[in-house]
Amino acid sequence: MEEKEFEIPVPWGQIAAKSWGNDKNQLVLMIHGTSDNAGSFDRLISHLPDTFYYIAFDLPGHGKSSHFPSNIPLHEINYMLAVNMVVNYVNREKIILIGHSWGGQMAMLYSQFYPERVLRLVVIEAVYFSPVSVDYFKQCTTEYIDSVIKLLEKSKTSKPPVYSFEKAKHAIINGRMYGKLKPEAAEPLLKRCLNSIGDNQYQITNDLRLKTKHCLFVDMDFCVSVIKEHPVTCPLLIIVGKDSTPLLEYYKEFLKELKHANPKCTTMEVNGNHDVHNNNPELVGPPIHSFLTTSNL
C-alpha cells in the first residue's frame, strides 16, 4: 500500500502522521506505545487487509511530532486530549482503533469515553492503564511530583545526549522495558526519532518528560468498577506475547468483568515479547486481519 506523510495542526504545534491505502475506505487509527512512534506499525501494515485506510501518528513528544509546552508535567489526560484531536481532525463518524502498549491503554479508554465512535478495537500487549495500589498511592504521587520538578529544572541547563547512528540504534534496540527489538524492527523507529546535528551525530527526539508520566488510575478495584460501569461495547481483540509480562493473569478480575459485559471480547497469546507486533508482525497480522474482515462479530 502507498505510504503518505502529513501533519495535523494542534495548539502547541503539529502532530506528524502517515497513512496507507485508499482514504475512501474504512479508517483504522493506530496508536503506538511510550517512546515509540508511528514507525512501529510499518512492518505490520503488509500483513493487514488492503481494503482499509490506515493512519498512524507520532504522539506528542515522539518521533516528528511537537512536544507539549515545556513548562508542564506530562499526564495521561494530556495524551487522551491529543488522541481526541486527531480523531476530530480525520472527521470520520466511525473508526477502528489499533493500539500497542500505552497506545493500547489509551485506545481502550477512548472506546469507553466515546463508544459511539469506535467500531472495533485491537489492543496489543496491553489491557488497561496500570493501576496503583492505595498503599502505594502517596509514595507514587510524591515521587512523581519530585521527579517532574527535578526534570524541569534539569531541562533548563542540560542538552539532550548526542549519539552516533550505531549507538542510537543500540539504544533503541536495547532500551526497552520488556525484551529487545530486532535490528530490522528498530529501523522504522529510527527514521522518525533521530535528529541529525552533524557528521554521524544525532539526538533522539523523544521528550525527556516521558520518563515521568503520571498514572491515571488508583487501585485495581477501581479499574474493575470503571469497566463495569462504562464497558467497552465494540468487538475487542486483545493480543499478548507469551514471552512478555503475564498481563492476562495480572488483569484476571478486570478481564472477567470486561468479558461479562462484552461477549465480543477475545484474548489470545502469540509467541513473542512486548514488541511482538514489530518484531514478529507475521504472527500478529493474521489474527488482526481475520478480526477486521469477519463480518459477524
Side-chain angles (χ1 to χ4, degrees):
M1 287 183 281
E2 183 183 2
E3 179 181 312
K4 296 180 180 179
E5 295 269 351
F6 63 99
E7 295 180 351
I8 299 171
V10 289
W12 58 91
Q14 50 86 22
I15 289 177
K18 59 197 304 186
S19 66
W20 298 266
N22 187 335
D23 62 6
K24 304 300 181 185
N25 291 337
Q26 172 61 54
L27 174 62
V28 179
L29 193 65
M30 312 174 88
I31 311 174
H32 66 78
T34 304
S35 299
D36 281 350
N37 55 58
S40 70
F41 295 107
D42 281 16
R43 286 160 45 81
L44 179 61
I45 285 292
S46 64
H47 298 273
L48 300 181
D50 60 7
T51 51
F52 292 85
Y53 177 53
Y54 301 91
I55 290 178
F57 61 96
D58 300 334
L59 288 164
H62 296 73
K64 299 179 180 180
S65 286
S66 302
H67 292 198
F68 280 120
S70 61
N71 61 337
I72 64 169
L74 299 188
H75 193 283
E76 285 157 346
I77 287 295
N78 302 144
Y79 285 91
M80 286 302 302
L81 173 70
V83 169
N84 201 35
M85 286 182 170
V86 171
V87 175
N88 289 339
Y89 178 84
V90 298
N91 195 27
R92 297 292 185 100
E93 184 178 351
K94 301 281 187 178
I95 61 172
I96 295 171
L97 288 174
I98 296 178
H100 167 248
S101 190
W102 189 43
Q105 295 171 346
M106 284 191 282
M108 180 80 79
L109 193 62
Y110 187 90
S111 300
Q112 289 179 272
F113 287 164
Y114 304 99
E116 70 283 357
R117 285 182 164 183
V118 184
L119 284 174
R120 301 188 187 209
L121 170 63
V122 179
V123 175
I124 306 166
E125 264 299 295
V127 175
Y128 207 51
F129 279 107
S130 300
V132 175
S133 68
V134 173
D135 292 340
Y136 184 51
F137 171 68
K138 178 182 176 181
Q139 179 183 346
C140 174
T141 306
T142 54
E143 286 178 353
Y144 164 73
I145 293 171
D146 292 342
S147 65
V148 168
I149 291 173
K150 289 180 181 178
L151 192 61
L152 291 175
E153 288 297 323
K154 182 180 178 181
S155 65
K156 293 180 181 178
T157 56
S158 63
K159 295 181 179 180
V162 177
Y163 302 87
S164 66
F165 180 82
E166 293 73 21
K167 287 187 176 180
K169 186 174 182 178
H170 181 270
I172 294 295
I173 289 173
N174 295 282
R176 319 296 294 178
M177 293 182 66
Y178 310 106
K180 294 184 178 182
L181 274 181
K182 292 181 177 180
E184 58 269 31
E187 291 290 345
L189 297 178
L190 288 164
K191 289 178 181 179
R192 302 188 72 83
C193 74
L194 290 188
N195 179 33
S196 177
I197 59 170
D199 185 23
N200 198 28
Q201 291 187 312
Y202 299 90
Q203 291 176 336
I204 296 176
T205 60
N206 288 346
D207 194 328
L208 293 176
R209 288 171 293 174
L210 291 168
K211 298 177 181 179
T212 59
K213 299 193 316 293
H214 192 256
C215 182
L216 186 61
F217 291 133
V218 178
D219 186 83
M220 182 64 81
D221 289 340
F222 180 80
C223 293
V224 172
S225 297
V226 166
I227 202 66
K228 181 178 180 179
E229 184 68 23
H230 305 285
V232 174
T233 55
C234 65
L236 165 60
L237 174 62
I238 299 174
I239 301 175
V240 299
K242 292 181 180 179
D243 301 327
S244 188
T245 54
L247 288 172
L248 299 184
E249 179 61 30
Y250 180 71
Y251 285 95
K252 185 176 180 179
E253 291 302 314
F254 178 88
L255 287 167
K256 181 180 178 181
E257 190 60 53
L258 175 63
K259 290 183 177 181
H260 176 74
N262 184 357
K264 296 178 182 179
C265 172
T266 302
T267 57
M268 66 178 299
E269 293 182 291
V270 296
N271 292 323
N273 66 8
H274 186 64
D275 294 288
V276 63
H277 72 303
N278 194 0
N279 279 332
N280 304 101
E282 73 280 0
L283 301 179
V284 176
I288 298 178
H289 189 295
S290 176
F291 178 75
L292 293 179
T293 56
T294 300
S295 60
N296 59 349
L297 289 177

